[in-house]
Amino acid sequence: MPPPPPPSFPVPGGSGCRLCRLSFCNMAVNLAELSLPQLEGLKGQFEQETEFLTSSIAQLKVVQTKYVEAKDCMNVLKTENKGKELLVPLTSSMYVPGTLSDVEHVLVDVGTGYYVEKNVEDTKEFFKRKIDFLTKQIEKIQPALQEKHGMKQAVIEVMNMKIQQLQAQQASQSGTTKA
């Protein structure tokens, strides 16, 4: 049987704390009923999930930036630039001189090693679609990241309450043993 999906955002209720319940599938978990080690494990899980989502957003933004730069570079392809000299990159740090001979067509890497010849306007539209797609993906991940962060904060809040309760119990016990 597959493991249950990650918990949803904390729901109101439970032990007087507005963030003391987490909803798993259709079950609510009262955070106040969990032990400190269980809460620590839950906090660790939420930290891993937030790190993963943060990393995913960063990677999407890197790819998005590359598409934006590529789309901007298309502005160089004008008829008045035909025949002009330029540097052609062989690697990220090595270039050879070249001449711009065709300002109407480019080869576009469409993924998995395939290149397609497109005219300038089709290429700009291709990059625009890619940029829009990545923007939508980032917008989908942002709420999930905020949700996980909120759940982690709820767990930390309950952990702090439990630690304070333990400290108060220990202080009252040590006070009664001295008396």
Side-chain angles (χ1 to χ4, degrees):
M1 186 159 100
S8 66
F9 196 75
V11 294
S15 300
C17 172
R18 66 179 181 84
L19 298 173
C20 289
R21 295 174 69 84
L22 291 179
S23 178
F24 291 86
C25 296
N26 290 326
M27 297 182 339
V29 175
N30 189 340
L31 294 177
E33 293 175 1
L34 298 178
S35 67
L36 274 174
Q38 289 172 321
L39 288 169
E40 187 65 41
L42 198 54
K43 179 182 145 212
Q45 177 184 341
F46 289 139
E47 284 173 347
Q48 286 179 342
E49 290 174 5
T50 55
E51 286 174 18
F52 173 75
L53 292 172
T54 301
S55 171
S56 296
I57 289 172
Q59 290 172 1
L60 288 172
K61 285 183 179 181
V62 166
V63 174
Q64 184 182 44
T65 300
K66 287 182 181 181
Y67 281 123
V68 168
E69 290 172 355
K71 184 179 176 208
D72 291 344
C73 286
M74 297 304 299
N75 295 328
V76 172
L77 296 177
K78 299 176 183 171
T79 53
E80 60 263 18
N81 289 335
K82 188 172 184 173
K84 287 192 175 179
E85 290 189 12
L86 53 89
L87 293 175
V88 179
L90 292 179
T91 69
S92 62
S93 61
M94 188 169 48
Y95 301 85
V96 295
T99 305
L100 187 56
S101 61
D102 185 359
V103 293
E104 296 173 13
H105 299 92
V106 294
L107 288 176
V108 180
D109 181 357
V110 292
T112 62
Y114 288 97
Y115 293 84
V116 175
E117 184 174 314
K118 292 181 172 279
N119 67 37
V120 172
E121 288 308 311
D122 288 347
T123 303
K124 286 181 180 179
E125 184 57 36
F126 172 79
F127 289 137
K128 183 185 180 316
R129 284 193 314 271
K130 291 290 190 179
I131 293 165
D132 291 345
F133 174 77
L134 291 167
T135 300
K136 287 177 185 169
Q137 295 309 306
I138 291 168
E139 288 171 353
K140 285 180 185 177
I141 296 173
Q142 286 284 6
L145 175 61
Q146 292 170 346
E147 179 180 329
K148 297 296 181 189
H149 183 71
M151 288 188 287
K152 182 179 87 170
Q153 291 306 114
V155 170
I156 290 171
E157 185 178 314
V158 172
M159 286 176 68
N160 288 337
M161 288 182 353
K162 285 192 172 265
I163 290 170
Q164 288 174 354
Q165 288 172 351
L166 283 172
Q167 289 172 342
Q169 277 180 340
Q170 290 174 349
S172 68
Q173 286 176 355
S174 65
T176 56
T177 55
K178 289 181 182 177

